[in-house]
Every structure is written in C-alpha cells, then in structure tokens.
Amino acid sequence: MSETASAASPNAGTTTTTTTTTTGTDAAAHDAAASAADAATGIRNRLVITLLLVSTFVVILNETIMGVALPRLMSDLSITASAAQWLTSAFMLTMAVVIPITGFLLQRFNTRPVFIAAMTLFSTGTLIAAVAPGFEVLLAARVVQATGTAIMFPLLLTSVMTLVPPAHLGRMMGNISIVISVAPAIGPTISGAILSVLDWRWMFILVLPIALTALVVGGILMQNVTTPRKTPIDVLSVILSALGFGALVYGLSNLGTAPGGIASVAGGLPLLVGALGLTLFILRQLVLQRTDAALLDLRTFRSRTFTFSIVMMAISMMALFGTIILLPIYTQTVLGLSALQAGLILLPGGLVMGLLAPFVGRLYDRSGPTRLLITGSSIVSAVFWSMTLLNANSSPWLVLAAHVSLSFGLALLFTPLFTASLAAVRPELYSHGSAVVGTVQQLAGAVGTALFVTVMASVAASRLASGATDVAATSAGIQAAFLCGAVISLFAIPAAFFIRRPV
C-alpha cells in the first residue's frame, strides 16, 4: 500500500507540473497574441491618422489658395472684384452648410466610405476647376471642392479622439494644428509662387495628382475605426442648418461689397435671415437631443471648457483669416510688392506654426492648456495692437516680423484649444463636437474676413472722399481694421483662465 501511494505521488506531482507548464505556455501564447494584436491595432491607427492628416492638409490648403490669385482671375476671366471674391466666399459658404451635417454622417457610416466620398468630391472639384472654361464652371468646381473639404476635417478630429489615448492627445492635436493653421497660411504663398511662372489653372493641376494619390492610397489602406449606428436624419434640421449657416456666411461675405453696408437690404437681409434660421435650428436641436436624434447635438456646450474653448477658437480664427486677407492687400496696394513677394511674407509665419505645433502638443500633455492659452492670447493681442501702427512708410521686414510673432502666438492657441475642447466632450458626442468646431471655424473665418474688409473699405472710402490718395486711404483703412481686431483680441485673454485640462 505504501509503495503504491509512493508511486502515485510522483505521478500526481508530475501531472500537476505538466498541467502548470501547459497553463503557463497557454498564458504566454495568449499574452504574445494580445501584444501582436495591440501592435497591429497601433499600426492600423497610425496609418489611418496619417492618411487623414495628409488628405486634410491638401483639401484645407485650397481654402485660401485663391486670395492672391483674384487679380489675375479678374483679368483672365473678365469679371469684377465682387464676383471674383465669390471664389473664396462660395467655398466658405459651402463648408458652413455641409459641416453641421457631418455629425450625422460620421455616426451613420463607416470611416472608409466617408473618406472615399470626401476625397472623390474634392478630386472631382479640382479636376473641374483645372479645365473650367469660365467663371461659372470654376465657381461650381469650388463648391464641389468645398463639399469634400467640409467632410474631411470633422472626420479627422473624430477619428483622432476615438483612437488616441488621452495621455498622447496633445501631441497628436499638435499635428492637426499643422493642418488647420499652416495649410491656410501657406496657401497664398503657394498661389503667388505658381502665378509668378504659370497660368492660374496650374493651382489645380498641381494639386490634382496629390488628391488622386490620397484617394487611391486611402481607398486601399483606410480601415474602419468607428462603429456606425442607425440614426434618423431630421430633414427640417438640415433645411434650417443650410438656411441659418448659409445665409449668415453669405451675408458676412457680401457685407463688404453691398452698397450701403449692413443698413441696406443686400447687406442686412441675409444676416437677418441667417440669424432667424440659426435660432430656429438651435431650438430644434434642443428638442431633438432629448431623444439623441439631433443633427448637431448641442449638449457639447454643457462643458465649460468646451464653451470657452469655442469662444477663443472663434477669436483666433478671426485673427488668422482676417490677417491672411489684409496683409496681401496691404503689401501689394500700399507697399507696392508683387503677388509672389506678398505670399512669401506669409510663408515664415506658416512655417513657425508648423514647427511649433508638435512642441506645443507635448507641452500640453505635460502641463495642460491654461498657461499656453494665456501666453498665446496675450501675444496675439499685443501683435494686433502693434499692427495698428503700420502705414505707407513701414518696412516689409516689419510686416514680416509682425506676422511671425502673430503666428507664434496662434501656435500656442490652436493645439490646446482643439485638444481641451474635444477632450471635454463625452465620447458619444465626439462627432458632434468635431462638427461644432468645424462650423465655428468657418463662421469665424467669414466674420473675420467680412469685418476686416468692411472696416478697411469704409474707412478708405471716407478718406478718399476727403481727398486722400489711394495709398493713403487704403493704409488708413487697414490701420482701422487692425484696431478693430486688436480690441476683439482682448476678449480672448480672460477666457483663457477658464480653460482647464479635462479630467
């Protein structure tokens, strides 16, 4: 009996050891498989974000590429200045109409088909613009381009918020800031360089192969990274959105050229219709969001950080787009520089924003947004006040220094604002938060452009009536426009104190 027990005992021990070894092997294999799966997921996520970043940079670049080209287009197409301006205004108008709908699109459809649709629209619009026989077709092409652009930006933001861990969000948003701030800033530079040696059609011919490459590569490699769900679309909300945002942007874009300004029917009526449409749209969303059926869910504004970030973002975008419009006018009309020289003056500032963005993202990850925002808003305000001193005798180097300093301040703002605003939103509202950010960008850009141009034009007209020369009148108008921007910039500084890193 004792021998049998003794024999059984080693067997039992051996059996136990074997089982333990097998279990350990299975666990190791399971861990290795999990690590491989995590690595594959990380590679997929980086690939998706890279494709979206490159594609979004290309499409947003086109938003401001037309500014320096307008005088050439007026001559080649035999159109007036007010008509030529619509090549930029129609782009912004379309963006403002389409972006609010993207919150629904990103909830309803997968990442890959949305990406393919956006880049197909943009590429088609670029092709039509490259072969456009006249102004009407070129204008239609810009609208098609803008439709694709409007989808890409919220798609990028939503995908990043879904895929990137909170600890690395600031760094990734720094890369997005390169897209959002640098692409519009270098648009005039690229346009001026192309126009100095080539026909205006080459602005689109050179972009087309890049857009098509992004479409083909993205179509092959893009992965679905969001989980769509069936959500109904409220047709009335779509109509009110198009009416409200569209009429507002139209009215703001038309304000500088409408006879009589805002007091006239042409100047004031679109703004009134837009305000009414936007009010009804907001009321409709407040009702629908109770059942999670809103086209643009406004519960994002329940976060104080999101709300104050949106306010600061609006002021920053007004500063960016207003400056992009005013400085080429100032440098060409008042200082007598060429289109290429005017574009080159804006290039270093764009590069500064691009180089600083990743660095600012890392600072955000380390210390949060508040200090960066206070410093950035103070710099932006100081630069605006200094630009009120620009006149017909100012050196182009002074303009360059002012724009680089302004770009430095804006670089400290964009990354923290994008990161803090969306990080403060609940995950199920990411697509709506992204759509709000994109919509505010377009409205603020339209407001900044319209406000700066209207103030400049009205003051210049008054000086001309008093007998001033064209150069002196334009210089005075630009000083007044920058003064207006300087006053508005002051409101961003106290708002910065209310923005904290979301927990």
Side-chain angles (χ1 to χ4, degrees):
M1 287 291 295
S2 64
E3 290 180 0
T4 305
S6 179
S9 209
N11 288 340
T14 303
T15 303
T16 302
T17 303
T18 303
T19 303
T20 303
T21 303
T22 304
T23 303
T25 303
D26 290 343
H30 180 271
D31 291 342
S35 298
D38 290 342
T41 300
I43 293 172
R44 180 206 67 176
N45 292 349
R46 287 193 294 272
L47 176 63
V48 168
I49 292 173
T50 301
L51 288 170
L52 290 173
L53 280 171
V54 173
S55 302
T56 305
F57 184 90
V58 173
V59 299
I60 290 183
L61 179 69
N62 274 264
E63 188 164 0
T64 57
I65 202 171
M66 299 298 293
V68 176
L70 293 184
R72 175 77 65 85
L73 290 166
M74 289 166 57
S75 174
D76 290 354
L77 301 178
S78 300
I79 55 177
T80 64
S82 58
Q85 186 62 42
W86 273 104
L87 293 171
T88 297
S89 299
F91 197 100
M92 298 176 68
L93 175 62
T94 305
M95 293 269 286
V97 170
V98 175
I99 285 178
I101 305 173
T102 58
F104 162 78
L105 293 176
L106 296 178
Q107 284 187 322
R108 183 66 180 83
F109 301 102
N110 267 315
T111 310
R112 186 170 178 271
V114 173
F115 172 84
I116 291 174
M119 289 307 298
T120 299
L121 284 168
F122 179 79
S123 300
T124 302
T126 304
L127 175 61
I128 296 172
V131 299
F135 171 72
E136 292 78 9
V137 177
L138 180 58
L139 182 62
R142 291 287 286 170
V143 170
V144 177
Q145 272 189 323
T147 304
T149 304
I151 299 173
M152 280 301 303
F153 177 58
L155 175 61
L156 171 63
L157 286 182
T158 302
S159 299
V160 166
M161 293 304 299
T162 303
L163 300 177
V164 178
H168 302 293
L169 199 53
R171 186 177 304 181
M172 183 54 65
M173 284 296 180
N175 295 332
I176 292 180
S177 294
I178 298 176
V179 171
I180 304 308
S181 56
V182 176
I186 67 172
T189 304
I190 293 176
S191 177
I194 292 173
L195 292 175
S196 66
V197 293
L198 297 169
D199 181 74
W200 61 266
R201 296 178 190 278
W202 283 91
M203 292 190 300
F204 304 104
I205 294 173
L206 294 176
V207 169
L208 183 59
I210 302 174
L212 290 174
T213 300
L215 172 60
V216 172
V217 174
I220 295 172
L221 301 179
M222 180 64 68
Q223 302 288 321
N224 293 319
V225 295
T226 56
T227 303
R229 64 178 189 267
K230 291 186 177 181
T231 53
I233 186 167
D234 183 60
V235 177
L236 179 58
S237 293
V238 175
I239 295 172
L240 291 175
S241 170
L243 181 66
F245 292 110
L248 272 179
V249 174
Y250 173 81
L252 291 167
S253 301
N254 196 43
L255 199 57
T257 56
I262 195 171
S264 65
V265 174
L269 184 60
L271 295 176
L272 182 62
V273 171
L276 178 61
L278 185 57
T279 301
L280 294 175
F281 174 78
I282 291 173
L283 294 175
R284 179 70 175 167
Q285 304 318 296
L286 293 176
V287 173
L288 292 176
Q289 68 189 24
R290 297 172 187 168
T291 56
D292 293 328
L295 181 69
L296 191 63
D297 201 313
L298 301 180
R299 284 176 291 185
T300 52
F301 286 97
R302 290 180 180 176
S303 166
R304 184 181 73 172
T305 293
F306 183 85
T307 301
F308 279 102
S309 296
I310 290 297
V311 170
M312 285 196 69
M313 199 176 298
I315 295 174
S316 302
M317 284 297 165
M318 288 173 63
L320 176 63
F321 279 88
T323 305
I324 288 173
I325 289 293
L326 278 191
L327 285 184
I329 295 174
Y330 170 71
T331 52
Q332 292 180 77
T333 305
V334 177
L335 299 185
L337 303 183
S338 66
L340 177 58
Q341 291 172 321
L344 288 174
I345 280 183
L346 299 180
L347 179 60
L351 295 177
V352 164
M353 280 194 278
L355 293 172
L356 281 178
F359 175 71
V360 174
R362 286 192 289 271
L363 284 179
Y364 175 92
D365 288 334
R366 241 183 293 169
S367 59
T370 311
R371 293 179 181 176
L372 290 169
L373 293 176
I374 293 172
T375 304
S377 58
S378 300
I379 292 173
V380 168
S381 185
V383 174
F384 261 101
W385 284 104
S386 71
M387 288 196 293
T388 61
L389 303 177
L390 294 176
N391 55 49
N393 298 317
S394 298
S395 167
W397 293 104
L398 184 61
V399 180
L400 175 63
H403 185 252
V404 169
S405 301
L406 180 68
S407 300
F408 180 82
L410 290 174
L412 298 180
L413 295 179
F414 285 127
T415 297
L417 288 175
F418 288 131
T419 311
S421 62
L422 291 176
V425 173
R426 300 200 312 267
E428 63 268 22
L429 296 178
Y430 281 159
S431 61
H432 293 283
S434 301
V436 169
V437 169
T439 302
V440 167
Q441 278 188 291
Q442 295 310 306
L443 286 177
V447 169
T449 301
L451 179 64
F452 283 31
V453 170
T454 300
V455 171
M456 179 196 70
S458 60
V459 171
S462 175
R463 293 298 179 92
L464 284 172
S466 302
T469 63
D470 287 342
V471 170
T474 303
S475 178
I478 287 174
Q479 284 181 330
F482 279 130
L483 177 61
C484 184
V487 172
I488 293 173
S489 70
L490 293 174
F491 291 94
I493 299 175
F497 288 88
F498 291 93
I499 299 174
R500 297 285 188 272
R501 187 204 298 268
V503 293

